[in-house]
Amino acid sequence: MSSDEFVVTPWHVEGDIDYDKLIKQFGTQKISNEILIKLQKITGEDHFMLRRGVFFSHRDLNLILDNHEKGKEFFLYTGRGPSGHTHIGHLVPWVFAKWLQDKFNVNMYFQLTDDEKFFSKQELSLKQTSNFALENALDFMALGFDPKKTKIIIDTKNIKTLYPIAAEVAKKINFSNTKAVFGFTNETNIGMIFYTSLQSAPCFIEDKPVLIPLGVDQDPHFRITRDIAQKINRVKPALIHNIMIPSLLGPGGKMSASDEKSTIYTTDSPEQVKKKINKYAFSGGQPDIDEHRKIGGNPDIDVSYQYLRIFFEPDDDKLKKIYEDYKSGKMLTGELKGILIEKINKFLSVHQEKREQVRKNLDDYMMKD
Ligand code: TRP
């Protein structure tokens, strides 16, 4: 693959992604200024992930907002494929979803697709993916979703609720559709082929329009859902997409939960975080200090800076100062990494405590069917 090529699918992300090109390729809409202003007006806040383009694209978000202004309700849905422990990149759409739930006071559904990861990962058993589903649920709950307005769906547990909807959806998708969208072959197991109808099911769990905050790699599933929605007399799901969170190892590719080195897990100890960032975080700095002082670093490709921008430093003034100091050479790579390590560890110490506290409430969040 040459340097200007990239691939974004639900099961494979590779290369240096050009997000404007991706918007064209996928046929989504860029989040316009008009939408940003409207969101600000409704919520009374200017969320840094919107302001910085971490959420950069959408489908029908304008309709959701227009309808909201007319008093029509929607609900939220997102999900996670439990192939391992949660890593910090996964938290991006969830933190944003929590903000949306607070601001719009709406119901939220969180789908854990233990079946999907069993189908797609040769090395994982169903027992393993089901266990990871429970572990991942703790990370989600730890973010503080309202237990009265939030339901967690685990595919193998809640199939009774999902199946009648998935059946309606599945009848309208033919094999050549999924083949074209996902590149399936005759060797693909049939669980994978049916799966997109299960990921579609929560879109129609309530008789209201849905808004889905999600990583843009998941868009293809919902492109299919949107194509068939009218055929089953339902409203097309609306989406708001975040960029892929870069792997520690550098630009190109998202963080993968299965590569220890490229990933910071929510369960990592402060020492592990420190070691991983110092050892692996791709740096935009110069090879030696003299040169760095003279030429300066490149924050735009520096993974530590990017993590601050995307998640860990919401304060624009502080972020700007870091950007300028690093670019001018005043700040060294070790110092930049030090700032990130401290931020992540501070976040994780609170998160890990909450994660343990919510363990006893797991049952309150689970969908009962
Ligand atoms: N397929 C997603 C993953 O692998 C999990 C998922 C299920 C999801 N439903 C979703 C993600 C809705 C975003 C929105 O992570």
Side-chain angles (χ1 to χ4, degrees), residues 288-316:
D288 68 69
I289 293 185
D290 285 347
E291 217 172 314
H292 187 87
R293 293 274 188 227
K294 225 186 291 161
I295 310 173
N298 182 355
D300 297 317
I301 59 164
D302 187 282
V303 167
S304 302
Y305 176 80
Q306 290 307 320
Y307 283 15
L308 290 170
R309 185 182 80 82
I310 292 168
F311 195 100
F312 291 101
E313 183 49 272
D315 184 322
D316 280 358

Short mmCIF file of all heavy atoms in Angstrom, two decimals, residues 288-316:
data_model
loop_
_atom_site.label_atom_id
_atom_site.label_comp_id
_atom_site.label_asym_id
_atom_site.label_seq_id
_atom_site.Cartn_x
_atom_site.Cartn_y
_atom_site.Cartn_z
N ASP A 288 18.02 13.83 18.09
CA ASP A 288 18.77 14.21 19.29
C ASP A 288 18.36 15.60 19.79
O ASP A 288 17.74 16.39 19.06
CB ASP A 288 20.29 14.09 19.09
CG ASP A 288 20.79 15.12 18.10
OD1 ASP A 288 20.78 16.32 18.43
OD2 ASP A 288 21.18 14.71 16.96
N ILE A 289 18.71 15.87 21.04
CA ILE A 289 18.21 17.07 21.72
C ILE A 289 18.64 18.36 21.02
O ILE A 289 17.82 19.26 20.82
CB ILE A 289 18.66 17.09 23.21
CG1 ILE A 289 17.95 15.94 23.94
CG2 ILE A 289 18.34 18.42 23.87
CD1 ILE A 289 18.18 15.90 25.43
N ASP A 290 19.89 18.42 20.62
CA ASP A 290 20.38 19.64 19.96
C ASP A 290 19.54 19.97 18.73
O ASP A 290 19.12 21.11 18.51
CB ASP A 290 21.84 19.47 19.51
CG ASP A 290 22.78 19.56 20.71
OD1 ASP A 290 22.27 20.00 21.78
OD2 ASP A 290 23.95 19.18 20.59
N GLU A 291 19.35 18.93 17.95
CA GLU A 291 18.59 19.11 16.72
C GLU A 291 17.14 19.51 17.04
O GLU A 291 16.55 20.36 16.38
CB GLU A 291 18.60 17.80 15.93
CG GLU A 291 18.70 18.00 14.44
CD GLU A 291 18.91 16.66 13.74
OE1 GLU A 291 19.79 15.88 14.21
OE2 GLU A 291 18.21 16.40 12.76
N HIS A 292 16.59 18.87 18.08
CA HIS A 292 15.21 19.16 18.46
C HIS A 292 15.06 20.62 18.89
O HIS A 292 14.13 21.31 18.49
CB HIS A 292 14.75 18.23 19.59
CG HIS A 292 13.28 18.36 19.91
ND1 HIS A 292 12.30 17.64 19.26
CD2 HIS A 292 12.63 19.17 20.79
CE1 HIS A 292 11.12 17.99 19.74
NE2 HIS A 292 11.29 18.91 20.68
N ARG A 293 16.02 21.07 19.69
CA ARG A 293 16.00 22.48 20.13
C ARG A 293 16.06 23.42 18.93
O ARG A 293 15.45 24.48 18.91
CB ARG A 293 17.19 22.77 21.05
CG ARG A 293 17.14 22.05 22.38
CD ARG A 293 16.34 22.84 23.41
NE ARG A 293 16.45 22.24 24.74
CZ ARG A 293 15.40 22.02 25.54
NH1 ARG A 293 14.18 22.33 25.16
NH2 ARG A 293 15.59 21.50 26.72
N LYS A 294 16.85 23.01 17.93
CA LYS A 294 17.06 23.86 16.75
C LYS A 294 15.86 23.83 15.79
O LYS A 294 15.30 24.86 15.44
CB LYS A 294 18.32 23.38 15.99
CG LYS A 294 19.24 24.54 15.59
CD LYS A 294 20.40 24.08 14.71
CE LYS A 294 21.41 23.23 15.47
NZ LYS A 294 22.28 22.42 14.62
N ILE A 295 15.45 22.62 15.41
CA ILE A 295 14.40 22.49 14.37
C ILE A 295 13.00 22.44 14.98
O ILE A 295 12.03 22.87 14.36
CB ILE A 295 14.62 21.20 13.54
CG1 ILE A 295 16.06 21.12 13.05
CG2 ILE A 295 13.64 21.13 12.37
CD1 ILE A 295 16.39 19.83 12.36
N GLY A 296 12.90 21.87 16.19
CA GLY A 296 11.58 21.70 16.81
C GLY A 296 10.92 20.40 16.40
O GLY A 296 11.39 19.71 15.48
N GLY A 297 9.83 20.05 17.09
CA GLY A 297 9.13 18.79 16.80
C GLY A 297 7.90 19.01 15.94
O GLY A 297 7.55 20.15 15.63
N ASN A 298 7.28 17.91 15.55
CA ASN A 298 6.07 17.98 14.74
C ASN A 298 4.87 17.41 15.51
O ASN A 298 4.64 16.20 15.50
CB ASN A 298 6.28 17.23 13.43
CG ASN A 298 5.06 17.34 12.53
OD1 ASN A 298 4.02 17.89 12.92
ND2 ASN A 298 5.16 16.79 11.34
N PRO A 299 4.11 18.28 16.18
CA PRO A 299 2.99 17.80 17.00
C PRO A 299 1.91 17.11 16.16
O PRO A 299 1.18 16.26 16.68
CB PRO A 299 2.43 19.07 17.65
CG PRO A 299 3.03 20.22 16.95
CD PRO A 299 4.27 19.75 16.25
N ASP A 300 1.82 17.48 14.88
CA ASP A 300 0.73 16.91 14.07
C ASP A 300 0.86 15.41 13.83
O ASP A 300 -0.13 14.74 13.57
CB ASP A 300 0.64 17.65 12.72
CG ASP A 300 0.28 19.12 12.94
OD1 ASP A 300 -0.61 19.37 13.79
OD2 ASP A 300 0.91 19.99 12.32
N ILE A 301 2.10 14.90 13.92
CA ILE A 301 2.25 13.45 13.77
C ILE A 301 2.61 12.78 15.10
O ILE A 301 2.74 11.56 15.18
CB ILE A 301 3.34 13.09 12.72
CG1 ILE A 301 4.70 13.68 13.12
CG2 ILE A 301 2.94 13.59 11.33
CD1 ILE A 301 5.87 13.05 12.36
N ASP A 302 2.78 13.58 16.14
CA ASP A 302 3.20 13.04 17.43
C ASP A 302 2.00 12.44 18.15
O ASP A 302 1.00 13.12 18.41
CB ASP A 302 3.82 14.16 18.27
CG ASP A 302 4.41 13.63 19.55
OD1 ASP A 302 3.64 13.34 20.49
OD2 ASP A 302 5.65 13.48 19.61
N VAL A 303 2.09 11.14 18.47
CA VAL A 303 0.94 10.44 19.04
C VAL A 303 0.59 10.99 20.43
O VAL A 303 -0.60 11.13 20.76
CB VAL A 303 1.19 8.92 19.09
CG1 VAL A 303 0.16 8.22 19.95
CG2 VAL A 303 1.16 8.35 17.68
N SER A 304 1.59 11.34 21.23
CA SER A 304 1.29 11.86 22.57
C SER A 304 0.48 13.16 22.45
O SER A 304 -0.51 13.36 23.15
CB SER A 304 2.57 12.14 23.36
OG SER A 304 3.31 10.95 23.46
N TYR A 305 0.91 14.04 21.55
CA TYR A 305 0.16 15.28 21.35
C TYR A 305 -1.26 14.97 20.87
O TYR A 305 -2.23 15.56 21.34
CB TYR A 305 0.88 16.20 20.35
CG TYR A 305 0.03 17.43 20.09
CD1 TYR A 305 0.03 18.48 21.00
CD2 TYR A 305 -0.82 17.50 18.99
CE1 TYR A 305 -0.80 19.59 20.81
CE2 TYR A 305 -1.65 18.58 18.79
CZ TYR A 305 -1.64 19.63 19.70
OH TYR A 305 -2.47 20.69 19.53
N GLN A 306 -1.37 14.03 19.95
CA GLN A 306 -2.70 13.70 19.41
C GLN A 306 -3.63 13.17 20.50
O GLN A 306 -4.82 13.48 20.50
CB GLN A 306 -2.59 12.70 18.25
CG GLN A 306 -1.97 13.29 16.98
CD GLN A 306 -2.67 14.58 16.52
OE1 GLN A 306 -3.89 14.70 16.57
NE2 GLN A 306 -1.88 15.56 16.10
N TYR A 307 -3.10 12.37 21.41
CA TYR A 307 -3.96 11.87 22.50
C TYR A 307 -4.43 13.01 23.39
O TYR A 307 -5.56 13.01 23.88
CB TYR A 307 -3.22 10.83 23.36
CG TYR A 307 -3.10 9.46 22.72
CD1 TYR A 307 -3.35 9.25 21.38
CD2 TYR A 307 -2.75 8.35 23.49
CE1 TYR A 307 -3.22 8.00 20.80
CE2 TYR A 307 -2.63 7.09 22.93
CZ TYR A 307 -2.86 6.92 21.59
OH TYR A 307 -2.75 5.68 21.03
N LEU A 308 -3.57 14.00 23.59
CA LEU A 308 -3.97 15.17 24.38
C LEU A 308 -5.09 15.92 23.65
O LEU A 308 -6.08 16.34 24.23
CB LEU A 308 -2.78 16.10 24.63
CG LEU A 308 -1.71 15.56 25.58
CD1 LEU A 308 -0.47 16.44 25.57
CD2 LEU A 308 -2.24 15.43 27.02
N ARG A 309 -4.91 16.07 22.34
CA ARG A 309 -5.88 16.81 21.53
C ARG A 309 -7.24 16.09 21.48
O ARG A 309 -8.30 16.70 21.61
CB ARG A 309 -5.35 16.96 20.10
CG ARG A 309 -6.21 17.80 19.19
CD ARG A 309 -5.65 17.87 17.77
NE ARG A 309 -5.97 16.68 16.99
CZ ARG A 309 -7.13 16.49 16.36
NH1 ARG A 309 -8.08 17.39 16.40
NH2 ARG A 309 -7.35 15.37 15.69
N ILE A 310 -7.17 14.77 21.30
CA ILE A 310 -8.40 14.01 21.09
C ILE A 310 -9.17 13.78 22.40
O ILE A 310 -10.40 13.76 22.42
CB ILE A 310 -8.07 12.64 20.43
CG1 ILE A 310 -7.57 12.87 19.00
CG2 ILE A 310 -9.25 11.70 20.45
CD1 ILE A 310 -6.94 11.65 18.35
N PHE A 311 -8.44 13.63 23.50
CA PHE A 311 -9.11 13.16 24.71
C PHE A 311 -8.66 13.82 26.01
O PHE A 311 -9.49 14.18 26.84
CB PHE A 311 -8.90 11.63 24.80
CG PHE A 311 -9.80 10.93 25.77
CD1 PHE A 311 -10.94 10.26 25.31
CD2 PHE A 311 -9.55 10.92 27.13
CE1 PHE A 311 -11.80 9.60 26.20
CE2 PHE A 311 -10.38 10.27 28.02
CZ PHE A 311 -11.50 9.62 27.56
N PHE A 312 -7.35 13.94 26.21
CA PHE A 312 -6.87 14.17 27.58
C PHE A 312 -6.61 15.62 27.97
O PHE A 312 -6.35 15.90 29.13
CB PHE A 312 -5.63 13.31 27.85
CG PHE A 312 -5.96 11.85 27.91
CD1 PHE A 312 -5.71 11.01 26.83
CD2 PHE A 312 -6.57 11.32 29.04
CE1 PHE A 312 -6.05 9.67 26.88
CE2 PHE A 312 -6.92 9.99 29.10
CZ PHE A 312 -6.66 9.16 28.02
N GLU A 313 -6.65 16.57 27.00
CA GLU A 313 -6.48 17.97 27.39
C GLU A 313 -7.59 18.82 26.77
O GLU A 313 -7.43 19.38 25.68
CB GLU A 313 -5.10 18.50 26.97
CG GLU A 313 -4.82 19.94 27.41
CD GLU A 313 -5.13 20.21 28.89
OE1 GLU A 313 -6.30 20.56 29.20
OE2 GLU A 313 -4.22 20.04 29.70
N PRO A 314 -8.73 18.92 27.46
CA PRO A 314 -9.87 19.68 26.91
C PRO A 314 -9.62 21.19 26.88
O PRO A 314 -10.31 21.91 26.15
CB PRO A 314 -11.02 19.36 27.86
CG PRO A 314 -10.56 18.24 28.74
CD PRO A 314 -9.07 18.24 28.73
N ASP A 315 -8.64 21.68 27.63
CA ASP A 315 -8.40 23.12 27.72
C ASP A 315 -7.61 23.62 26.50
O ASP A 315 -6.44 23.27 26.31
CB ASP A 315 -7.64 23.39 29.03
CG ASP A 315 -7.42 24.88 29.27
OD1 ASP A 315 -7.16 25.62 28.29
OD2 ASP A 315 -7.49 25.29 30.44
N ASP A 316 -8.25 24.44 25.68
CA ASP A 316 -7.62 24.90 24.43
C ASP A 316 -6.34 25.69 24.65
O ASP A 316 -5.40 25.57 23.87
CB ASP A 316 -8.59 25.78 23.64
CG ASP A 316 -9.61 24.97 22.88
OD1 ASP A 316 -9.53 23.73 22.93
OD2 ASP A 316 -10.48 25.57 22.22
#
